[in-house]
Amino acid sequence: MLLPHSWRDATSHPGRSLMAATGLTVDDLPAAIIHGSVLRRATPGTVAKALGLTYRADGRPVDLVVVGAGPAGLAAAVYGASEGLVTVLLDQSGLGGQAAKSARIENYLGFPFILTDGRQSADSGSCDK
């Protein structure tokens, strides 16, 4: 999953202009602006929450929890969900885990060809149950 974003160095002219326009100071860094809201001292967790990428229990009991969304974890979660299990996949770094960063993955989730873009494998393996 690709999230459109732009990066501004706080010491650059565009970075200083953005900080002035949003009322940010050096003490507020790192910061993120998401949907017009300024997150001061942003962490991966606060950014994920602002983007709606955090886990929220819906009251159903969970059958399978997979910790780590690398190639094996993502495969386990996809296969568990495809069998009808209520599945939760947790990863500290985001969707796709290590698979989203891999340049070459062979025979992933039963694909008979080599995937050369890790993001393709993470997107292809997603299952919404």
Side-chain angles (χ1 to χ4, degrees):
M1 179 170 132
L2 294 176
L3 298 173
H5 68 281
S6 60
W7 179 268
R8 301 288 184 266
D9 186 324
T11 62
S12 70
H13 178 68
R16 288 189 307 268
S17 296
L18 182 60
M19 287 177 66
T22 56
L24 290 167
T25 68
V26 173
D27 292 334
D28 295 324
L29 300 178
I33 301 170
I34 300 173
H35 306 301
S37 296
V38 178
L39 297 178
R40 288 168 167 75
R41 293 172 297 285
T43 64
T46 59
V47 171
K49 184 175 181 180
L51 292 170
L53 298 176
T54 56
Y55 173 71
R56 289 177 293 282
D58 63 3
R60 295 183 296 166
V62 175
D63 299 313
L64 173 64
V65 175
V66 180
V67 178
L74 193 55
V78 167
Y79 286 120
S82 72
E83 290 295 320
L85 299 175
V86 176
T87 303
V88 174
L89 175 61
L90 304 173
D91 191 82
Q92 75 173 14
S93 65
L95 298 177
Q98 182 265 328
K101 297 170 185 69
S102 295
R104 179 182 166 110
I105 300 175
E106 297 184 33
N107 195 27
Y108 184 73
L109 293 178
F111 287 90
F113 50 86
I114 296 171
L115 297 173
T116 57
D117 181 352
R119 289 173 298 213
Q120 290 173 340
S121 66
D123 292 343
S124 300
S126 63
C127 183
D128 193 15
K129 280 220 174 229

